[in-house]
């Protein structure tokens, strides 16, 4: 109960800092991204947008206090099952229930340091996607289902954030 009260206080403080009228309803995308960046050190724009989308359950482009508390519950203290679903939803860019090769490519390309030559980077990312598919695509259908992702992560916990950091550091 005391933790929920603290989360609500933080939410209220973030909303109070906003100068927009939409703040009455909650946190808009920019306020939310600012909180992720300053509080949790997240810097990947694509992943911060995806975290916002996963928190914003009703898709109204605003994170309400209930969505904030429920989202942070998983984000900060979720069980392995909750974190599996959360990370999978982050990485499923088009919400079709699969993480396809092009989604992996986009996520991994954004997560890696840029090389001097764009072609070198693209080839390296393609090789990395091939490696990931060999390791995680258990049903060999060319894309990762939630079952593939879950099996791979249960075999090797480090794969939970295989396509980029979307959970806070342990510290």
């Amino acid at each position: 109960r005391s933790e929920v009260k603290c989360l609500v206080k933080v939410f209220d403080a973030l909303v109070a800092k906003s100068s927009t009228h939409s703040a009455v309803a909650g946190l808009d995308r920019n306020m939310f991204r600012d909180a992720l960046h300053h509080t949790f050190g997240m810097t990947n724009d694509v992943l911060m947008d995806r975290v916002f989308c996963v928190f914003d359950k009703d898709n109204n482009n605003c994170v309400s206090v209930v969505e904030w508390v429920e989202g942070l519950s998983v984000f900060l203290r979720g069980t392995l099952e909750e974190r599996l679903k959360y990370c999978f939803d982050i990485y499923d860019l088009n919400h079709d229930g699969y993480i396809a090769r092009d989604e992996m490519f986009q996520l991994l390309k954004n997560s890696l340091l840029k090389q001097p030559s764009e072609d070198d980077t693209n080839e390296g990312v393609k090789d990395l996607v091939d490696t990931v598919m060999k390791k995680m695509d258990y049903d060999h259908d060319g894309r990762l289902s939630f079952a593939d992702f879950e099996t791979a992560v249960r075999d090797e916990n480090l794969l939970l954030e295989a396509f980029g950091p979307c959970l806070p550091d342990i510290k």
Side-chain angles (χ1 to χ4, degrees):
R1 176 170 260 194
S2 66
E3 289 178 354
V4 171
K5 285 182 181 179
C6 286
L7 292 176
V8 171
K9 277 185 182 178
V10 170
F11 179 86
D12 289 342
L14 290 169
V15 169
K17 280 195 328 190
S18 172
S19 60
T20 66
H21 291 24
S22 68
V24 173
L27 299 174
D28 66 21
R29 186 176 302 268
N30 289 333
M31 293 166 25
F32 186 84
R33 285 172 50 111
D34 193 51
L36 286 178
H37 176 70
H38 292 294
T39 307
F40 301 107
M42 291 185 82
T43 57
N44 185 313
D45 289 332
V46 171
L47 290 177
M48 286 192 290
D49 279 341
R50 292 298 304 140
V51 172
F52 176 82
C53 291
V54 169
F55 271 59
D56 182 21
K57 297 283 187 205
D58 61 6
N59 295 317
N60 69 347
N61 289 317
C62 185
V63 173
S64 70
V65 69
V66 172
E67 290 169 331
W68 170 259
V69 171
E70 289 175 353
L72 283 176
S73 172
V74 173
F75 188 73
L76 297 171
R77 292 183 175 250
T79 64
L80 178 58
E81 288 74 22
E82 290 170 328
R83 290 182 298 142
L84 276 162
K85 175 83 171 97
Y86 165 83
C87 289
F88 185 84
D89 289 347
I90 296 288
Y91 302 143
D92 180 12
L93 300 178
N94 64 3
H95 317 286
D96 68 351
Y98 297 93
I99 304 170
R101 285 179 171 272
D102 61 328
E103 291 169 309
M104 287 180 216
F105 182 87
Q106 184 179 346
L107 290 163
L108 291 170
K109 187 173 181 181
N110 276 340
S111 295
L112 297 175
L113 294 173
K114 303 294 184 237
Q115 299 297 317
S117 164
E118 186 73 18
D119 292 337
D120 291 346
T121 301
N122 287 346
E123 284 306 311
V125 174
K126 285 179 187 173
D127 292 344
L128 192 52
V129 168
D130 289 340
T131 302
V132 167
M133 290 302 290
K134 287 177 188 159
K135 175 88 174 149
M136 297 178 79
D137 184 18
Y138 287 91
D139 59 9
H140 306 291
D141 65 351
R143 59 191 183 172
L144 296 185
S145 64
F146 179 74
D148 290 332
F149 185 73
E150 180 179 27
T151 301
V153 170
R154 288 189 187 279
D155 287 348
E156 179 55 63
N157 283 350
L158 291 176
L159 292 174
L160 183 62
E161 293 184 277
F163 304 112
C166 57
L167 288 165
D169 289 339
I170 300 293
K171 58 184 169 125

